[in-house]
Amino acid sequence: MTGQGHTHGHAEGHTAGGPGGPAGDRGHEHGNRHGRRQGHGRGHHHHHHHGERIDAALEGSVEGLRTLWLSFAVLTATTAVQAVIAALSGSVALLGDTVHNATDALTALPLALAFVLGRRAATRRYTYGFGRAEDLAGVFVVLVIAASAAFAGYEAVRRLLDPQDITHLPAVAAAGLVGFAGNEWVARARIRTGRRIGSAALVADGLHARTDGFTSLAVLLGAGGAALGWRYADPLIGLVITGAILLVLRGAAREIWHRLMDAVDPALVDAAEHALAHVEGVGAVGAVRMRWIGHTLRAETSVEVDPGLTVVQAHAVAVAAEHALLHTVPRLAGATVHIDHAGTAGQDPHAALDHHFTR
């Protein structure tokens, strides 16, 4: 367990698994207990679920793709119905809702591409794989939401300055109901799947669809006001819809920002520390770091063991620590566990590294 910055393989012949690491044996990378550098790479496949190893990342991608294509079909049909009625009636509120539904349907395409790209194996250049493509797709979703808000707001203001009569009011009201039903189904499917597989981009897109559903109901209010002879009802509802889109934009942007900045739920870190502390042979737990790569998590930590342990014994503790993390942290694809010890006679076992971290 000594040395600096080198790697070595396992005699057992383990290979790395999961989307977050390269497709070979990563060995042990050495560092200090303060978390400056982490080590003990993951090279152990753990067999769960009735003895079958399940690639969680691939499974999540398949489920995400299925949800995206179903939601794309539903929103495309919904948009087609609304577009015809919007063209016949001249309702700006319905037009804004139709455009929003169309953009929501189209966001399925970059997300689907990201899921497909994320299934590619890691390379020597992209050593953590391609899961970050989901976060880039999430940025695209946020930009699309912003564009739809701008368009809906522009049309609403234009109609306020130049009011127009609306025709086919019963059809407009029916289109609003169709829009609500289609979007709510899509929202539930995307949010449920996104949370289950850990995809922030899919959750953001589901929130986008949910707002579309409520804005579709607002179209009913516009149609009701127009039926009562109030010409400004429709463009005012269009402004309300714009405000609702801006609210979902704020929530989606915050979700994607957290993901891009490697934010995780602190409860996951607490759970990981608790699990590590109860592993036999672990005397102390160092810093625990986690980050999302696509819809799977990667973790890094260090654990302190008795300096009298042999290499094989210390290695077994590291394997047990990773195993505990895999059982404790949902969506965890792998963990890097560095073995540390307190040193003897007051000597810091990492003193040779200190000059690399001083200013």
Side-chain angles (χ1 to χ4, degrees), residues 135 142 195 198-205 207 249-261 263:
D135 300 330
V142 169
R195 287 176 177 167
S199 173
L202 194 55
V203 171
D205 215 22
L207 293 173
L249 173 63
R250 179 175 177 270
R254 182 173 60 246
E255 186 83 15
I256 296 302
W257 168 258
H258 287 165
R259 186 58 61 90
L260 290 174
M261 293 299 294

Side-chain angles (χ1 to χ4, degrees), residues 264-277 288 290 325 328-329:
V264 296
D265 185 351
L268 293 177
V269 178
D270 293 339
E273 290 175 339
H274 182 268
L276 290 170
V288 175
M290 296 183 191
L325 290 176
T328 302
V329 181

Side-chain angles (χ1 to χ4, degrees), residues 115-349:
F115 278 122
V116 172
L117 185 60
R119 294 165 66 175
R120 293 182 58 187
T123 67
R124 291 184 64 81
R125 180 178 293 275
Y126 297 97
T127 56
Y128 280 93
F130 296 83
R132 288 280 186 173
E134 282 186 42
D135 300 330
L136 294 178
V139 173
F140 178 80
V141 169
V142 169
L143 294 176
V144 167
I145 297 173
S148 62
F151 179 81
Y154 169 78
E155 286 296 320
V157 171
R158 187 175 68 84
R159 287 296 180 88
L160 277 174
L161 299 176
D162 183 22
Q164 297 182 16
D165 293 327
I166 301 174
T167 60
H168 303 80
L169 292 178
V172 172
L177 289 175
V178 169
F180 172 75
N183 276 290
E184 182 59 23
W185 185 92
V186 168
R188 292 187 180 212
R190 289 181 177 178
I191 292 173
R192 181 173 58 248
T193 300
R195 287 176 177 167
R196 183 161 55 241
I197 70 174
S199 173
L202 194 55
V203 171
D205 215 22
L207 293 173
H208 183 197
R210 173 151 289 164
T211 300
D212 282 351
F214 288 116
T215 56
S216 293
L217 286 181
V219 172
L220 290 174
L221 297 178
L228 296 175
W230 190 24
R231 300 181 69 192
Y232 289 101
D234 186 67
L236 286 175
I237 292 299
L239 287 177
V240 171
I241 290 175
T242 301
I245 298 174
L246 290 174
L247 285 177
V248 78
L249 173 63
R250 179 175 177 270
R254 182 173 60 246
E255 186 83 15
I256 296 302
W257 168 258
H258 287 165
R259 186 58 61 90
L260 290 174
M261 293 299 294
D262 288 332
V264 296
D265 185 351
L268 293 177
V269 178
D270 293 339
E273 290 175 339
H274 182 268
L276 290 170
H278 287 79
V279 173
E280 185 177 357
V282 172
V285 179
V288 175
R289 295 182 176 88
M290 296 183 191
R291 63 168 49 173
W292 285 98
I293 299 177
H295 46 267
T296 58
L297 278 166
R298 296 288 304 184
E300 298 178 0
T301 188
S302 62
V303 294
E304 191 172 292
V305 301
D306 186 336
L309 295 181
T310 66
V311 172
V312 173
Q313 291 170 330
H315 178 268
V317 174
V319 172
E322 183 186 4
H323 199 184
L325 290 176
L326 289 169
H327 275 289
T328 302
V329 181
R331 309 302 309 170
L332 183 66
T336 302
V337 181
H338 169 63
I339 291 298
D340 206 352
H341 66 88
T344 57
Q347 295 182 347
D348 182 358

